[in-house]
Amino acid sequence: MPRPKILLTRRWPNAVEAVLAERFDATFNAGDVPMSPQAIAEALRMYDAVLPTVSDKLPASVFEGEIRARILGNFGVGFNHIDVAAAKASGVVVTNTPGVLTDCTADIAMLLMLAVARRGGEGERQVRAGEWKGWCPTHMIGTKVTGKTVGIIGFGRIGKAFAQRCHFGFGMDVVFYNRSTVDPDEAARYGARQLASVEDVLAAADFVSLHCPGGAENRHLMNASRFAAMKPGAYLINTARGDVVDEAALIAALENGVIRGAGLDVYEAEPQVPETLLKMENVVLLPHLGSATEETRNAMGMKVVDNLTAFFEGREPPDRVV
């Protein structure tokens, strides 16, 4: 029986590609050039499986007509870049890679919070530019993190890991909003307590960190009215998905002093970042590094391997989304 034909839309860690080449008839993106939706649509007609990443776009149009692919092995937890309803209607299974990037993403959220509070990005740029004139009592005064209140929107695996770091590592008071009710004893294990609404969290928090899914239900969850509901002098941290934040409203809030700063790892139109944000000293910008460690990226890839192997052996993929 011929091995299933699979296509990877980007380069993956070498160790994972080696396993995929051994188990499947695999085609790799040698140049690591992002594929257009049209190219992905063509791949769906030529391969038994397509393995996209969170940076690919798979709208409903890519699933139109007769397609050969029966499974999308997504490299990443988020899947709001895929029209899952259209995939399901076309008989295409979608899987993701949950659980293995929790700690690394929580670490990046901590990095952003500390960097923006203590003006780390601004300070490094000053040193590299040769503009530092030496220590003085009033130079580059930031904000203390220890003992402050952090508000978390979304209390899944990553939200919990971030809460744990904040409370037990930095003595922060942790409040959170989650769509479903979390058992108070469970929340207490992470040093956190649940509030009734997003607005309640925004009103209480010195730092607001987003850990909710992207997609339609959360698109622009942070909008102009929500920024206005934040404490004066508060900071926003986003390691979730770019579309959770209305970037135009964020820019206005920063320009008008409604909030004091922001730390961002994700953007609405990646890899494009608004020019205004690039020029702001009170914003720390990272290039979507949430899961970017060797250990995590390998683990994510092996999750996809496990999902594909199960599917083509007639078993239920362990991380099936639809």
Side-chain angles (χ1 to χ4, degrees):
M1 183 176 178
R3 294 186 299 169
K5 288 186 64 178
I6 70 170
L7 171 76
L8 281 70
T9 63
R10 299 296 298 269
R11 293 309 303 264
W12 289 16
N14 290 336
V16 180
E17 287 191 351
V19 175
L20 289 168
E22 180 182 325
R23 296 192 187 183
F24 306 101
D25 180 1
T27 298
F28 303 110
N29 184 341
D32 202 25
V33 177
M35 294 177 64
S36 67
Q38 294 77 17
I40 293 174
E42 184 62 25
L44 290 170
R45 288 156 179 77
M46 296 174 58
Y47 293 88
D48 300 303
V50 173
L51 281 55
T53 71
V54 295
S55 62
D56 293 312
K57 299 290 186 290
L58 285 81
S61 59
V62 306
F63 300 101
E64 293 174 356
E66 192 76 23
I67 62 176
R68 173 175 171 175
R70 299 273 62 89
I71 182 171
L72 293 174
N74 186 54
F75 189 99
V77 174
F79 48 87
N80 59 301
H81 57 293
I82 302 171
D83 190 318
V84 292
K88 184 177 181 180
S90 297
V92 179
V93 169
V94 179
T95 64
N96 68 343
T97 62
V100 294
L101 45 70
T102 299
D103 287 326
C104 286
T105 305
D107 288 347
I108 285 288
M110 289 300 306
L111 171 64
L112 285 169
M113 182 170 70
L114 291 167
V116 72
R118 297 302 304 273
R119 301 174 68 174
E122 186 180 353
E124 199 213 17
R125 286 190 292 276
Q126 188 176 97
V127 172
R128 286 183 180 274
E131 296 172 354
W132 182 39
K133 306 304 181 184
W135 187 92
C136 75
T138 59
H139 179 242
M140 208 161 281
I141 303 300
T143 298
K144 187 177 180 180
V145 170
T146 298
K148 295 293 181 66
T149 297
V150 62
I152 297 173
I153 309 298
F155 206 64
R157 293 185 183 95
I158 300 171
K160 290 174 181 175
F162 181 66
Q164 187 176 46
R165 285 157 172 74
C166 290
H167 182 72
F168 296 105
F170 291 85
M172 302 183 81
D173 184 28
V174 182
V175 295
F176 69 91
Y177 170 78
N178 196 63
R179 288 185 185 274
S180 57
T181 301
V182 178
D183 181 88
D185 291 336
E186 166 78 359
R189 287 203 288 273
Y190 299 93
R193 55 192 172 88
Q194 186 167 11
L195 301 184
S197 70
V198 172
E199 284 71 21
D200 288 340
V201 170
L202 300 181
D206 301 297
F207 300 88
V208 174
S209 190
L210 306 178
H211 297 283
C212 48
E217 65 178 9
N218 286 330
R219 177 172 169 77
H220 289 181
L221 179 143
M222 290 302 299
N223 51 34
S225 64
R226 290 257 167 81
F227 286 120
M230 290 174 66
K231 290 174 66 173
Y235 298 82
L236 178 76
I237 309 299
N238 188 16
T239 56
R241 282 292 175 266
D243 63 358
V244 175
V245 175
D246 181 339
E247 283 182 354
L250 170 62
I251 289 168
L254 290 164
E255 288 180 329
N256 297 324
V258 175
I259 65 173
R260 189 169 178 179
L264 309 173
D265 190 41
V266 290
Y267 310 90
E268 278 199 85
E270 293 184 17
Q272 283 76 41
V273 179
E275 187 70 24
T276 308
L277 285 178
L278 294 175
K279 294 177 179 178
M280 288 181 169
E281 288 289 6
N282 59 335
V283 179
V284 177
L285 306 170
L286 294 180
H288 205 146
L289 295 181
S291 64
T293 65
E294 181 179 354
E295 299 90 341
T296 296
R297 292 284 168 86
N298 281 330
M300 291 168 68
M302 292 310 298
K303 278 263 187 182
V304 179
V305 171
D306 291 343
N307 285 316
L308 287 184
T309 300
F311 179 81
F312 287 115
E313 288 180 353
R315 297 181 285 111
E316 179 68 12
D319 303 304
R320 181 171 181 161
V321 175
V322 296

